[in-house]
Amino acid sequence: MINQLTQNESSEIIAHLFPTEVSGLILPVNDYVSQLNSDEYEIIRQASDKRKFEFSTGRWCAKQLLALHEHYDFSILSGEHREPIWPDKFSGSISHCKDQCGAVIANINQIKSIGFDVETIRNLKNNIAKIICTDAEKLWINKQSSHTYDRLVQLLFSLKESVYKCAYQYQQLKLGFQDCSIHPDFDSNIAQITFNIDNIHANIKLRFKLTGSHIYSGAFIL
């Protein structure tokens, strides 16, 4: 369960996904609405309690990390595609699933861009692979025997989410699910990316971690 995720476990997950220059924090989704600045609250003022808790937990995580860099009470607003807007000279990413929320940040002089994603492992109600997966990825899934079909599809989804966040932050390029193929390696927990488009100009590194209940993925550009 998420409530059993300790600070050390959170740190170990972040260290598994990212270089040491990246700071990160993962917490249970909870009510941190009172910790939002007024302009942050306006973003989710009319949202459901569920959305408010997810949003406020993500901002709380991010603010704890920014405080480590002597940035206090900074309002993390949202951009055109709901992406968090970070202080100058910082790259970062926020993600949430049903029960967890996490944030990662780094100095942009050390890590140019970051994408982070967390997913709760579950049984899929629909065959989302038809939308998410390229033909190469479908072939890869059919060759796997150590994980269930649903878990493999969710892994590819999570990895693509991290890549897309990283690419958008780096060059404001909004990617679709068919714009790249991901090739995970379970021995190293590193994934390779093959882009199916020509206009991306980034050497994105991609890592992942599976637990009994969650999938974590991280993308970054040095």
Side-chain angles (χ1 to χ4, degrees), residues 93 112-116 159-176 179-180 193 195 197 199-204 219-221:
S93 185
K112 294 182 177 65
S113 187
I114 311 175
F116 170 66
L159 289 165
K160 289 191 175 189
E161 283 290 299
S162 289
V163 169
Y164 299 164
K165 291 177 182 180
C166 187
Y168 185 81
Q169 186 175 138
Y170 185 65
Q171 63 180 95
Q172 290 72 57
L173 179 63
K174 188 170 174 58
L175 298 175
D179 289 336
C180 71
I193 312 164
F195 287 103
I197 55 176
N199 57 337
I200 185 163
H201 311 292
N203 181 16
I204 299 176
F220 58 93
I221 301 172

Side-chain angles (χ1 to χ4, degrees), residues 50-62:
K50 177 178 179 292
R51 172 61 182 151
K52 288 177 179 177
F53 295 168
E54 292 166 350
F55 181 91
S56 64
T57 304
R59 263 48 182 185
W60 176 253
C61 288

Side-chain angles (χ1 to χ4, degrees), residues 65-189:
L65 300 174
L66 287 172
L68 299 175
H69 297 269
E70 300 184 349
H71 276 260
Y72 304 100
D73 203 33
F74 181 86
S75 290
I76 305 171
L77 303 181
S78 297
E80 180 182 359
H81 300 289
R82 303 207 319 182
E83 76 280 5
I85 300 175
W86 302 95
D88 291 343
K89 299 183 181 179
F90 282 91
S91 58
S93 185
I94 298 174
S95 181
H96 68 81
C97 59
K98 179 180 178 181
D99 55 357
Q100 292 188 13
C101 191
V104 292
I105 67 164
N107 188 299
I108 205 165
N109 292 324
Q110 297 175 310
I111 306 291
K112 294 182 177 65
S113 187
I114 311 175
F116 170 66
D117 187 72
V118 54
E119 300 290 334
T120 305
I121 295 174
R122 64 194 186 282
N123 294 326
L124 299 177
K125 295 180 180 180
N126 301 304
N127 185 14
I128 61 173
K130 291 187 292 186
I131 300 172
I132 294 168
C133 299
T134 63
D135 289 342
E137 290 166 339
K138 292 173 184 176
L139 289 173
W140 174 80
I141 289 174
N142 291 334
K143 294 178 181 178
Q144 306 306 307
S145 58
S146 57
H147 296 279
T148 65
Y149 177 87
D150 284 358
R151 182 173 294 197
L152 293 169
V153 173
Q154 285 181 270
L155 173 61
L156 292 173
F157 174 83
S158 179
L159 289 165
K160 289 191 175 189
E161 283 290 299
S162 289
V163 169
Y164 299 164
K165 291 177 182 180
C166 187
Y168 185 81
Q169 186 175 138
Y170 185 65
Q171 63 180 95
Q172 290 72 57
L173 179 63
K174 188 170 174 58
L175 298 175
F177 285 120
Q178 298 297 313
D179 289 336
C180 71
S181 292
I182 306 294
H183 313 279
D185 178 14
F186 290 110
D187 291 330
S188 65
N189 287 334

